[in-house]
Amino acid sequence: MSKLIRMDHTGHSTLAEWTADDPAAVDAAVTAFRAELERGYLAMVTTGPGHAAQVRELPLDAPLVILRLPISGG
Amino acid sequence: MSAEQALAPGLDVLPETASVHWRPRVDEARLRRLGALWTLTTVAHVVPFLGAAVALMALNPLSLPVALACIAHAWVIPELYAQRGANVVRPRTRAADGPERRAAGLLGDLVGHDARDLHADTSLVLEPGRLGVWLVGEAGALLLAGRGGRRAYCYCVTVDGRVAGASELPSGDRVAHLLLALRADEQGFATVANLSFSGARWRLRRRVRPAMRPAIDAAVASLDRRSSSRA
């Protein structure tokens, strides 16, 4: 089961869960994913130990997709 | 769509770098230059005061109090800079226990066992990088680089406060935001962040909270292990 989570004031919220063989869940996850990107969130997946990458489309085979806010110099 | 297909061209560069487009991208050479510039600035602050103290004593030993004041200035100014650097990892206001626990759980999933323990003890996450070894906090990161990690770079960087919800994030999530950005593009991360201090590690170590000092020691040990494995 793959998960789309958003880091927020609750610690994190699970926005969608899906498996590749469940089209309805995939559609819901893609819709939620795009809505969060529209809000300004950036989507990240872990690509190996100590490595992460940004994605612009929902990677259906990723076990975990994390939505984060942009960073800036303080 | 697979994870590989989702990685669109150009996404290996942190998108936030667009907001600081005038800054040269930080690489090892630029990092060394920045460090040298900080050293030069420190010398430029210290030497005139020490010179003035010597000159005053040579002219008239009765000016000892003023000479001592000059020496104090020469000592205090680098200390103030180091304090400014240490402040980037000063803990911020914590959220309620529930969100903090959930955020710490997610952060724990992102890092290894040792880094998780170190974070629990020091509030800093140790993350090896190409530029050196990073210690990531809630609103900033320390980079130990150079031979044996003798030079520290203190970066002030945080979740963009202009975005709604940024100020309400639990501390673990703030660290996770920085960690994911760092892992995605280390050079971009160092470019976006504001350099608050660069100088001797020992100077910084004295200024960070005692509870955080083991994280600096662990980063040095990590660098030593890396050097040994390369040799």
Side-chain angles (χ1 to χ4, degrees):
Chain A
M1 178 77 79
S2 299
K3 265 189 184 182
L4 172 67
I5 65 169
R6 179 186 63 207
M7 291 192 280
D8 56 23
H9 67 283
T10 67
H12 62 266
S13 302
T14 301
L15 303 180
E17 289 181 317
W18 72 94
T19 53
D21 58 357
D22 182 349
V26 167
D27 283 350
V30 168
T31 303
F33 178 85
R34 289 183 179 155
E36 295 302 319
L37 260 54
E38 290 273 314
R39 290 179 59 200
Y41 278 86
L42 303 169
M44 311 295 296
V45 290
T46 294
T47 52
H51 294 281
Q54 192 200 339
V55 290
R56 282 204 187 121
E57 296 291 338
L58 185 68
L60 297 180
D61 57 347
L64 182 65
V65 181
I66 302 175
L67 295 160
R68 70 166 177 92
L69 291 164
I71 62 166
S72 65
Chain B
M1 179 172 288
S2 72
E4 280 179 15
Q5 290 169 324
L7 296 169
L11 288 186
D12 51 343
V13 174
L14 210 62
E16 291 95 328
T17 54
S19 63
V20 288
H21 56 85
W22 61 89
R23 290 186 184 171
R25 194 167 164 80
V26 172
D27 56 14
E28 280 186 39
R30 177 155 179 78
L31 204 59
R32 276 196 300 273
R33 278 199 300 276
L34 286 170
L37 196 62
W38 268 91
T39 301
L40 199 65
T41 306
T42 305
V43 168
H45 279 114
V46 169
V47 168
F49 281 112
L50 291 179
V54 171
L56 284 167
M57 289 304 292
L59 287 171
N60 188 345
L62 287 176
S63 61
L64 176 67
V66 183
L68 289 175
C70 287
I71 292 169
H73 270 84
W75 175 253
V76 163
I77 289 171
E79 289 297 304
L80 288 175
Y81 276 121
Q83 184 62 56
R84 184 176 144 193
N87 284 345
V88 305
V89 290
R90 197 182 56 202
R92 281 11 185 206
T93 310
R94 291 177 67 82
D97 282 351
E100 286 291 353
R101 268 197 304 276
R102 278 173 69 80
L106 176 63
L107 181 62
D109 290 342
L110 294 176
V111 300
H113 185 72
D114 290 345
R116 196 179 311 154
D117 288 347
L118 189 69
H119 175 257
D121 293 340
T122 66
S123 305
L124 298 172
V125 168
L126 189 149
E127 182 70 10
R130 288 185 183 167
L131 297 173
V133 171
W134 293 84
L135 292 168
V136 183
E138 293 175 49
L142 310 177
L143 170 65
L144 299 187
R147 194 176 300 162
R150 286 184 191 155
R151 179 170 282 279
Y153 298 83
C154 305
Y155 285 101
C156 196
V157 56
T158 187
V159 181
D160 194 337
R162 293 167 295 183
V163 183
S167 60
E168 301 156 2
L169 288 171
S171 60
D173 271 359
R174 281 181 243 153
V175 176
H177 272 80
L178 300 186
L179 185 66
L180 286 169
L182 172 64
R183 286 179 171 180
D185 177 14
E186 182 183 8
Q187 292 185 359
F189 180 84
T191 305
V192 169
N194 291 336
L195 184 60
S196 297
F197 169 73
S198 173
R201 183 188 74 223
W202 64 266
R203 196 180 287 284
L204 173 73
R205 192 181 181 282
R206 290 181 343 147
R207 308 308 302 187
V208 298
R209 293 184 168 207
M212 290 180 165
R213 290 175 193 161
I216 293 180
D217 300 337
V220 174
S222 173
L223 278 164
D224 288 345
R225 280 196 299 276
R226 189 191 293 190
S227 301
S228 310
S229 63
R230 279 180 187 164

